[in-house]
């Protein structure tokens, strides 16, 4: 028997994936009843799942009208990039000595190998322009990389920013005819820098990643 808390989590994950894939587009309205009927479950776990997604900034709750998929703006995206840059730079750039922050808990070989597998898969998908594969592996990559930090609240914050960033960019990316070679693919290089404890290289790569993200968002918005 599936526990209600597990069902709640499963529904939230399924709906989050629908939003990420663009199948629940920005501005889309729906009710608890509609989603409950779609999943064939009672209204209670659905409402709980929708409230969870609203807390993550992905849905807006409309009084007596249900929920709406949140519409992020270009200014929202710029703020997301600045926020994640501040956090990541503080962790990987380190202090005057050039060493990484003491908050980084460098893992053993198994953990590094796992992050590297995510990095390789994300990089291949980015180079091929395979958006559906890239989103999944990119989120896992950053989540595992963020897991090097011994602070679950910070890790959760970074993961939330990554999801929101994809939610904003996916609709515009899907309208492009060709994505191969246009998406950031520095995942393995960043793992190399972190494993080598090279804070300067990590800082440089993160700066390049954020600059690429902003430039692409500006280009997509203009087109």
């Amino acid at each position: 028997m599936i526990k209600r808390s597990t069902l709640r989590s499963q529904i939230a994950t399924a709906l989050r994936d629908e939003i990420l894939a663009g199948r629940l587009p920005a501005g889309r309205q729906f009710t608890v009843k509609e989603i409950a009927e779609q999943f064939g479950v009672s209204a209670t776990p659905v409402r709980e799942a929708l409230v969870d997604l609203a807390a993550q900034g992905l849905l807006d709750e409309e009084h007596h009208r249900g929920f709406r998929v949140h519409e992020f703006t270009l200014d929202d995206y710029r703020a997301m990039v600045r926020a994640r840059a501040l956090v990541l730079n503080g962790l990987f750039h380190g202090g005057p000595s050039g060493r990484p922050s003491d908050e980084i808990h460098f893992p053993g070989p198994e953990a590094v190998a796992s992050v590297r597998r995510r990095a390789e898969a994300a990089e291949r998908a980015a180079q091929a322009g395979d958006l559906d594969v890239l989103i999944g592996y990119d989120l896992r990559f950053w989540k595992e990389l963020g897991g090097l930090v011994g602070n679950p609240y910070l890790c959760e914050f970074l993961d939330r920013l990554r999801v929101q960033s994809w939610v904003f960019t996916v609709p515009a990316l899907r309208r492009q005819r060709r994505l191969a070679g246009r998406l950031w693919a520095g995942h393995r290089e960043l793992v190399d820098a972190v494993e080598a404890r090279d804070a300067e290289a990590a800082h440089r790569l993160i700066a390049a990643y954020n600059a690429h993200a902003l430039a692409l968002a500006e280009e997509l918005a203009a087109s």
Side-chain angles (χ1 to χ4, degrees):
M1 180 177 179
I2 298 176
K3 294 181 179 179
R4 199 178 81 187
S5 60
T6 303
L7 185 57
R8 167 185 183 169
S9 176
Q10 290 175 344
I11 295 170
T13 298
L15 290 174
R16 190 199 73 163
D17 289 346
E18 290 290 294
I19 294 170
L20 278 169
R23 290 186 289 270
L24 278 179
R28 166 79 153 79
Q29 284 183 308
F30 51 82
T31 64
V32 172
K33 181 181 178 182
E34 178 183 344
I35 300 300
E37 290 176 350
Q38 177 183 331
F39 284 95
V41 298
S42 66
T44 300
V46 169
R47 172 165 288 283
E48 291 171 341
L50 296 178
V51 169
D52 289 344
L53 291 175
Q56 295 170 29
L58 300 182
L59 299 179
D60 298 322
E61 187 169 5
E62 300 184 318
H63 192 53
H64 297 311
R65 297 180 62 186
F67 292 79
R68 177 193 294 268
V69 179
H70 185 76
E71 299 183 63
F72 293 104
T73 67
L74 181 58
D75 283 340
D76 290 330
Y77 185 76
R78 293 188 185 109
M80 294 174 203
V81 173
R82 286 195 298 270
R84 74 189 188 205
L86 286 171
V87 174
L88 289 172
N89 286 341
L91 290 173
F92 291 111
H93 187 47
S97 65
R99 292 182 60 79
S101 165
D102 290 337
E103 290 294 320
I104 299 295
H105 294 231
F106 289 98
E110 290 184 4
V112 171
S114 179
V115 177
R116 189 173 297 282
R117 285 194 297 271
R118 308 297 190 197
E120 291 170 352
E123 191 169 307
R124 286 194 300 269
Q127 291 169 343
D130 191 335
L131 192 59
D132 289 321
V133 174
L134 173 60
I135 292 170
Y137 279 110
D138 181 78
L139 287 173
R140 293 188 190 103
F141 167 76
W142 287 103
K143 193 164 190 174
E144 288 194 17
L145 196 67
L148 303 182
V149 182
N151 187 323
Y153 296 99
L154 189 57
C155 185
E156 181 184 352
F157 173 71
L158 290 173
D159 184 56
R160 182 177 301 186
L161 283 177
R162 291 297 312 146
V163 171
Q164 291 178 348
S165 297
W166 276 119
V167 169
F168 171 77
T169 56
V170 161
L173 288 171
R174 290 198 185 282
R175 290 193 291 269
Q176 304 303 302
R177 291 185 177 180
R178 188 172 183 276
L179 291 175
R182 298 182 65 190
L183 304 169
W184 186 77
H187 303 76
R188 281 188 296 177
E189 196 174 355
L190 182 54
V191 173
D192 290 339
V194 172
E195 186 178 16
R197 305 193 182 197
D198 188 339
E200 291 298 331
H203 174 70
R204 172 177 53 80
L205 288 163
I206 290 168
Y209 164 59
N210 288 326
H212 174 277
L214 286 173
L216 182 58
E218 298 281 356
E219 176 189 341
L220 294 173
S223 64

